[in-house]
Amino acid sequence: MLSYLDCVTALACVSAEGGYVRPRFNSEVFDLKEGRHPILAASKKTRYVSNSCFMDKDNSVLIITGPNMGGKSTYMRQVALIVIMAQIGCFVPAESLRMPIFDKVFTRIGASDDILSGQSTFMVEMNEANYALSNATDKSLILFDEIGRGTSTYDGMSIAQAMIEYIAVCIKAKTLFSTHYHELTSLEETLDNVKNVNVQVKEKNGEVTFMYRIIDGKASQSYGVNVARLANLPESVLERAKDLLSQYETEKKHVQQSLGFVEMSRPEPENQEIIDDLRHIDPNNCTPMQALQILSELKSKLK
């Protein structure tokens, strides 16, 4: 009882000090007005820019584009933290929040590898993405940050597009999907429940100013060279990069891949366990008796 009172008191103090509001729950609509990251907004070192987020049945997948350092990852973390705070019974840092109850929250944000098990950053990313795609439902929240960046451009873009299509058509979970593959923004035209948003940037005389504001629509470019300029790379490197970028963009127009949508299906949950069992069977190491026993067990599961 004492631990419960301690927890409730802590949540109440944080909510009162931060001017948090009480979330309201519904069955479908996620409507966050001027939400703030609970940690960054409390920091006095920088001025934090609040942002809104709206998802419903008709706009369940948001594709987020924009430059690095523009605030895409922070925006996604903000949404995830606010959702978790609301569902543990805490008030949230926002002007208002209406949301459904999420059964699960899946995230793939940041880059990491697993040296001990010999897994690369890309393999770790694929494993985590697979866990989300296999276990998410239409009541879940998925946050994928730059999926596919650990491999070649066309490989990564193909995997990212296939995941978006699978989520939008087969899972229908509410999803924030950030990417630097601007070609993926065309999915808004082919999938009814996909919407483009981007981080606002102002450019003047080759210099960019990050507004840290999420607005509707797709980003016009990545501003990678501009960000490199902010890092004070040698001018000769920047000029060479600009020339190469111009060449690559010209070539890309001639080799633009078709991004037409192809219908996909999702395995039935009851069959997925059997599929997983089959993948782990090594026929070369099974005796005839073991094979018959495995077959009998799989048949029982089907019933």
Side-chain angles (χ1 to χ4, degrees), residues 113-259:
D113 52 21
D114 190 344
I115 298 174
L116 292 178
S117 62
Q119 293 189 334
S120 66
T121 297
F122 182 66
M123 187 61 182
V124 171
E125 178 180 86
M126 290 299 99
N127 283 334
E128 292 182 359
N130 174 60
Y131 184 79
L133 297 179
S134 301
N135 293 279
T137 71
D138 60 349
K139 303 296 184 185
S140 302
L141 175 65
I142 299 176
L143 302 105
F144 281 170
D145 187 19
E146 298 184 29
I147 287 288
R149 61 185 166 184
T151 186
S152 69
T153 300
Y154 288 127
D155 273 352
M157 185 169 65
S158 301
I159 292 170
Q161 177 179 337
M163 285 188 185
I164 293 174
E165 292 175 347
Y166 188 75
I167 292 170
V169 176
C170 300
I171 303 178
K172 296 181 173 63
K174 289 181 171 54
T175 303
L176 299 181
F177 196 108
S178 74
T179 183
H180 282 293
Y181 300 130
H182 289 189
E183 294 84 353
L184 299 182
T185 57
S186 63
L187 290 174
E188 184 183 59
E189 302 169 7
T190 57
L191 295 170
D192 294 337
N193 55 340
V194 171
K195 180 181 178 181
N196 289 320
V197 298
N198 72 96
V199 289
Q200 189 177 16
V201 174
K202 287 188 177 181
E203 183 180 10
K204 185 177 181 181
N205 299 326
E207 295 187 2
V208 295
T209 301
F210 301 115
M211 308 305 294
Y212 304 109
R213 190 76 177 173
I214 302 294
I215 58 176
D216 291 343
K218 59 184 180 181
S220 58
Q221 55 180 299
S222 291
Y223 299 100
V225 176
N226 305 78
V227 174
R229 188 180 299 278
L230 292 175
N232 294 317
L233 262 66
E235 191 64 30
S236 58
V237 172
L238 296 173
E239 290 302 318
R240 175 59 173 159
K242 286 174 61 178
D243 292 340
L244 290 171
L245 177 62
S246 178
Q247 294 178 33
Y248 289 144
E249 288 180 339
T250 301
E251 292 173 5
K252 189 170 66 174
K253 293 178 181 178
H254 297 293
V255 297
Q256 182 73 35
Q257 290 186 328
S258 170
L259 294 176

Side-chain angles (χ1 to χ4, degrees), residues 39-53:
I39 298 174
L40 296 181
S43 173
K44 302 186 184 301
K45 295 181 180 180
T46 58
R47 184 180 67 87
Y48 187 78
V49 178
S50 60
N51 273 294
S52 301
C53 181

Side-chain angles (χ1 to χ4, degrees), residues 54-153:
F54 182 85
M55 292 181 285
D56 60 7
K57 187 176 181 180
D58 298 325
N59 296 285
S60 59
V61 179
L62 301 185
I63 297 179
I64 311 170
T65 50
N68 286 318
M69 295 176 58
K72 300 190 300 296
S73 298
T74 300
Y75 176 69
M76 297 172 72
R77 288 185 173 96
Q78 165 194 306
V79 171
L81 286 171
I82 287 176
V83 165
I84 293 171
M85 290 173 68
Q87 293 195 185
I88 65 173
C90 185
F91 282 30
V92 297
E95 285 188 2
S96 66
L97 172 64
R98 292 186 299 135
M99 60 172 279
I101 297 291
F102 293 105
D103 59 0
K104 307 178 189 75
V105 178
F106 298 96
T107 67
R108 172 55 210 174
I109 300 176
S112 61
D113 52 21
D114 190 344
I115 298 174
L116 292 178
S117 62
Q119 293 189 334
S120 66
T121 297
F122 182 66
M123 187 61 182
V124 171
E125 178 180 86
M126 290 299 99
N127 283 334
E128 292 182 359
N130 174 60
Y131 184 79
L133 297 179
S134 301
N135 293 279
T137 71
D138 60 349
K139 303 296 184 185
S140 302
L141 175 65
I142 299 176
L143 302 105
F144 281 170
D145 187 19
E146 298 184 29
I147 287 288
R149 61 185 166 184
T151 186
S152 69
T153 300

